[in-house]
Amino acid sequence: MGIDMSQIRTASQTQAKLNTRTAALAAAMIVAVFGAVFIYGMGFAGADVLHNAAHDARHANNFPCH
Amino acid sequence: MMFGYLRIFLTVALLAGIGAGVVNWGVHMFGTTPLILEAEVYENAGAAEEPAAAATAEAEATAHTHEAGAAEHEHEAEAWAPADGWERNLYTLGADVVTGVGFAFLLTAAIVFFGKGADWRRGLLWGLAGFACFTLAPSFGLPPELPGTEAAPLLERQLWWIGTVVATAAGLFAAARLRNVYGYAIAVVLIVAPHVIGAPHPETPGGLAPEELEHKFILVAIVTSLVFWLVLGALTGAFFKRYANEAAA
């Protein structure tokens, strides 16, 4: 019936590692959304002014253009 | 804790993205931009003919007093654009840096999702994967285009482009993560599907620029993109190792 302290410690360490991983994944999700917004604005947004400013880069980076 | 990670990942991506964006711009200045400017000569020549033809009826009614000059003025209702020369090139620099940072965000996030950390060597592989997803796969259906090339409606092409990128990336991710027959099968299906569906093409293909120039542009754009992705991958990997490996791997 004795409780093995080392098992408790291992379990809490595993939990801590899971929390760390979840936090890293959440942060990465946010970074991915930033990336999508940047790429959309740069390569896809329809506004003429954006299109004209980014024109040569859109063609060179093979975004569908015009 | 999450904001700590966020700060680290943003740092990695900004450093790598700005660096690779500036390199990309340098390569574009020598590679693609001269070809775009050359193609615009043909494009402008072609565009000048259209309003001139449209104006013919009007011109006949009001006697032949105005020709090309008037047609050009009616064409003036266009949005602002940077002036040719250094201003235009500066905007291309800005756009290339935004592109670099945007792709660096996606790449950094992908490295975290994958969960195996990175260094500059692994970064090169990540760069190759990015090149395959964002340049190679879409180029099979929609090769890089010079201004003045006939193309299907923009929205259709954009949707196909995005679908192809997402499918290819998901396919590569499945193969690399699962590394078994299921992973490879998923990869093949996802990578091939967009090309079976087929890219939207114009009813009457062709362009204003000579075909030779068009081909040269496709080659140069793809090669410069490969350079960009290798630089971006290596930089992202190196900065990831320096700032994020211990925290996120």
Side-chain angles (χ1 to χ4, degrees), chain A:
Chain A
M1 282 295 284
I3 296 170
D4 184 347
M5 291 304 286
S6 73
Q7 273 185 2
I8 294 180
R9 204 172 305 126
T10 314
S12 71
Q13 275 170 354
T14 310
Q15 187 58 46
K17 204 165 184 196
L18 269 179
N19 289 342
T20 314
R21 179 76 183 141
T22 310
L25 287 178
M29 278 299 278
I30 297 174
V31 173
V33 171
F34 282 0
V37 170
F38 270 54
I39 296 303
Y40 177 83
M42 161 56 212
F44 292 88
D48 279 350
V49 172
L50 275 180
H51 167 271
N52 291 342
H55 176 266
D56 296 357
R58 281 190 181 187
H59 277 279
N61 289 307
N62 194 22
F63 292 110
C65 201
H66 296 285

Side-chain angles (χ1 to χ4, degrees), chain A residues 20-21 23-32 34-35 38 42 44 48 52-53 55-57 59-62 65-66, chain B residues 2 5 9 24 28 32 36 40 79-80 88 91-92 95-96 99 102 105-106 109 112-113 139 142 144-145 147 157-158 161:
Chain A
T20 314
R21 179 76 183 141
L25 287 178
M29 278 299 278
I30 297 174
V31 173
F34 282 0
F38 270 54
M42 161 56 212
F44 292 88
D48 279 350
N52 291 342
H55 176 266
D56 296 357
H59 277 279
N61 289 307
N62 194 22
C65 201
H66 296 285
Chain B
M2 193 201 77
Y5 283 128
F9 299 157
N24 201 16
H28 283 162
T32 51
I36 291 172
E40 274 178 2
W80 169 92
R88 178 169 173 174
Y91 276 93
T92 301
D96 275 336
T99 309
F105 283 153
L106 295 178
V112 178
F113 289 139
S139 290
L142 298 171
E145 270 176 1
R157 282 182 291 135
Q158 289 180 330
W161 191 97

Side-chain angles (χ1 to χ4, degrees), chain B residues 78-102:
Chain B
E78 280 181 16
W80 169 92
D84 280 351
W86 67 267
E87 186 181 334
R88 178 169 173 174
N89 293 338
L90 218 54
Y91 276 93
T92 301
L93 169 64
D96 275 336
V97 168
V98 172
T99 309
V101 171

Side-chain angles (χ1 to χ4, degrees), chain B residues 177-201:
Chain B
R177 202 75 181 81
L178 297 176
R179 285 183 192 274
N180 59 25
V181 68
Y182 299 110
Y184 299 134
I186 293 170
V188 170
V189 170
L190 283 175
I191 290 168
V192 171
H195 307 284
V196 174
I197 294 167
H201 284 296

Side-chain angles (χ1 to χ4, degrees), chain B residues 137-235:
Chain B
S139 290
F140 270 110
L142 298 171
E145 270 176 1
L146 279 169
T149 308
E150 284 297 326
L154 181 60
L155 186 65
E156 285 176 36
R157 282 182 291 135
Q158 289 180 330
L159 289 177
W160 186 86
W161 191 97
I162 292 171
T164 304
V165 167
V166 172
T168 309
L172 288 181
F173 201 89
R177 202 75 181 81
L178 297 176
R179 285 183 192 274
N180 59 25
V181 68
Y182 299 110
Y184 299 134
I186 293 170
V188 170
V189 170
L190 283 175
I191 290 168
V192 171
H195 307 284
V196 174
I197 294 167
H201 284 296
E203 282 168 20
T204 49
L208 298 166
E211 214 166 295
E212 199 189 2
L213 189 63
E214 196 81 50
H215 288 159
K216 197 170 164 196
F217 183 74
I218 293 174
L219 184 70
V220 173
I222 289 179
V223 171
T224 56
S225 169
L226 177 62
V227 171
F228 162 73
W229 275 106
L230 289 176
V231 173
L232 181 69
L235 285 179

